[in-house]
Amino acid sequence: MRVGVLTGGGDCPGLNAVIRAVTKSLIRQGGCEVLGIQDGFEGLMGDAPRVKPLSWDEVSGILHIGGTILGTSNSANPLKNAETLAQVKRNVHTLGLDVVVSIGGDGTQSLAYGLANAVGMQCVGVPKTIDNDIANCERSFGFDTAVATATEALRRIESTANSHHRVMIVETMGRNAGWLALEAGVAGAADIILLPEIDYDLQTIIDVCKAREQRQRYTIICIGEGAKESGQSLTVRERVEHSPDPLRLGGVGHVLRERLQPHLKSEVRATVLGHVQRGGDPTPFDRVLATQFGHHAAQLVLSGQFGRMVTLQNGAIGSVEIATVANTQRQIAADHPLLTMARDIGICLGQP
Ligand code: F6P
């Protein structure tokens, strides 16, 4: 078999671990020829495909390295028009690919699903995102690393907040899901955690900060980039035309700072953690999970189970049809135990 491997969407710690595991399994178990497609679906668009052979040696020594040796793109959209679809179809045919392993988030899985339908490209999906928002997957690799990075940032912010008696706002990534903000906020001992799933009430935040001005004299607020105040609109950093995910969020921490400052004696400062959360080496947990995902993807390929995406559900690695995860995002349910726990131990979630 000749198998293509690509990484799509925003990069994420653990991608190289998946590339390594899927390639080694395919070579060792199936004697496959593996081709790395460069820069996500972009490598299949254009007049000629952009690929590099993935040999055993090529994928050795990359387990612990952040980013992706294949490059990625979160703006390439092969479904954009008939011309790009024809390019992909021709390039897949020229390369003689039997199946493409697409490692990516919901956007990448949606594109893979779309290409399977439009040009008959066979796919096996591997879920990837620091946002942890892919349907049917309780933990995606990269998330643990991002939580660790954001948690460390929160702890560092706390000592300076405490010294200056400030209200410090720390903005995490996560798009429309608050998993990263919630877990980092809990692990980093934030006093207030604001999530996309729960519109916040400004007066409640003012009241908590004022009460803390009297006693602790500093407050840490962890806010997910997709959070918004009741009645206000989402803070969009930029719009990328033709991208499968056109709205790029970011900056809500600064918006909150401006809204809060007039009501408080303490100085209010905001830090946007940004891409520091996506970079760096994966944690041991993510290395193991990514290796399991890559290995399982190879099993799907070798058993001809195309059109499926690897999953982690109830602690077990399995798979679902890509169709069931395309164009969906997994948000935090209102009755999630972590929300109940946070409220019970006195963390403010932005509501009275
Ligand atoms: O989906 C991963 C993610 O890091 C989101 O948390 C964030 O909103 C987005 O990608 C940022 O994308 P970009 O790198 O294009 O700014």
Side-chain angles (χ1 to χ4, degrees), residues 10 74 129-131 173-175 225 237 248-249 275 278:
N74 61 0
T129 169
I130 64 161
D131 303 337
M173 283 187 165
R175 292 198 301 174
E225 63 182 359
R237 174 168 44 85
R248 301 289 149 80
L249 306 180
H275 294 85
R278 273 210 334 231

Side-chain angles (χ1 to χ4, degrees), residues 77 79 105-115 117 133-136 175-176 243-246 309 321-330:
N77 186 354
L79 303 176
D106 66 292
T108 304
Q109 304 312 334
S110 306
L111 293 175
Y113 177 64
L115 286 174
N117 289 332
D133 63 351
I134 303 180
N136 296 301
R175 292 198 301 174
N176 303 311
S243 166
D245 181 18
M309 186 194 78
E321 288 193 7
I322 293 183
T324 62
V325 299
N327 302 311
T328 58
Q329 284 173 21
R330 193 177 67 94

Side-chain angles (χ1 to χ4, degrees), residues 44-342:
L44 290 177
M45 294 159 68
D47 291 337
R50 288 187 293 115
V51 293
K52 64 173 175 185
L54 291 180
S55 64
W56 188 275
D57 288 349
E58 188 75 33
V59 299
S60 292
I62 62 170
L63 166 70
H64 61 289
I65 302 172
T68 161
I69 60 164
L70 296 176
T72 188
S73 160
N74 61 0
S75 51
N77 186 354
L79 303 176
K80 193 166 62 182
N81 55 41
E83 192 191 340
T84 55
L85 279 173
Q87 287 169 338
V88 174
K89 189 172 183 178
R90 193 183 54 240
N91 287 331
V92 169
H93 181 74
T94 308
L95 292 168
L97 295 177
D98 296 298
V99 54
V100 171
V101 176
S102 59
I103 311 166
D106 66 292
T108 304
Q109 304 312 334
S110 306
L111 293 175
Y113 177 64
L115 286 174
N117 289 332
V119 300
M121 188 183 91
Q122 302 285 13
C123 279
V124 163
V126 178
K128 162 254 46 161
T129 169
I130 64 161
D131 303 337
N132 205 30
D133 63 351
I134 303 180
N136 296 301
C137 188
E138 63 200 18
R139 214 82 179 164
S140 50
F141 67 87
F143 177 64
D144 185 66
T145 308
V147 169
T149 305
T151 300
E152 191 194 337
L154 281 158
R155 300 307 302 154
R156 286 175 184 273
I157 292 278
E158 191 190 4
S159 58
T160 170
N162 194 348
S163 308
H164 286 265
H165 315 303
R166 283 174 171 159
V167 172
M168 298 292 259
I169 300 167
V170 177
E171 177 184 317
T172 71
M173 283 187 165
R175 292 198 301 174
N176 303 311
W179 299 104
L180 185 50
L182 179 59
E183 293 212 9
V186 169
D191 308 298
I192 300 173
I193 302 176
L194 305 174
L195 308 167
E197 290 85 348
I198 306 173
D199 281 8
Y200 63 82
D201 169 53
L202 186 67
Q203 190 57 50
T204 301
I205 298 172
I206 295 169
D207 292 345
V208 172
C209 292
K210 277 189 169 164
R212 289 185 59 88
E213 275 178 345
Q214 302 304 315
R215 292 175 57 210
Q216 297 88 347
R217 302 185 65 202
Y218 75 95
T219 302
I220 304 294
I221 303 177
C222 179
I223 183 168
E225 63 182 359
K228 60 179 172 56
E229 186 181 332
S230 327
Q232 307 273 319
S233 52
L234 203 61
T235 304
V236 175
R237 174 168 44 85
E238 65 176 321
R239 178 182 282 274
V240 184
E241 292 310 329
H242 300 303
S243 166
D245 181 18
L247 294 189
R248 301 289 149 80
L249 306 180
V252 69
H254 293 296
V255 171
L256 177 60
R257 192 196 76 76
E258 278 169 25
R259 303 270 298 151
L260 261 184
Q261 186 61 85
H263 304 277
L264 299 174
K265 283 201 225 99
S266 331
E267 243 183 290
V268 184
R269 296 292 182 93
T271 303
V272 179
L273 297 183
H275 294 85
V276 72
Q277 296 159 103
R278 273 210 334 231
D281 297 345
T283 58
F285 178 90
D286 277 339
R287 292 178 204 186
V288 175
L289 185 62
T291 301
Q292 287 177 292
F293 278 11
H295 171 256
H296 198 78
Q299 309 316 303
L300 293 174
V301 168
L302 295 173
S303 56
Q305 295 185 66
F306 302 150
R308 298 188 72 77
M309 186 194 78
V310 177
T311 58
L312 180 73
Q313 293 188 87
N314 302 317
I317 309 278
S319 67
V320 291
E321 288 193 7
I322 293 183
T324 62
V325 299
N327 302 311
T328 58
Q329 284 173 21
R330 193 177 67 94
Q331 289 189 302
I332 306 172
D335 62 351
H336 193 282
L338 270 185
L339 297 180
T340 312
M341 180 213 70

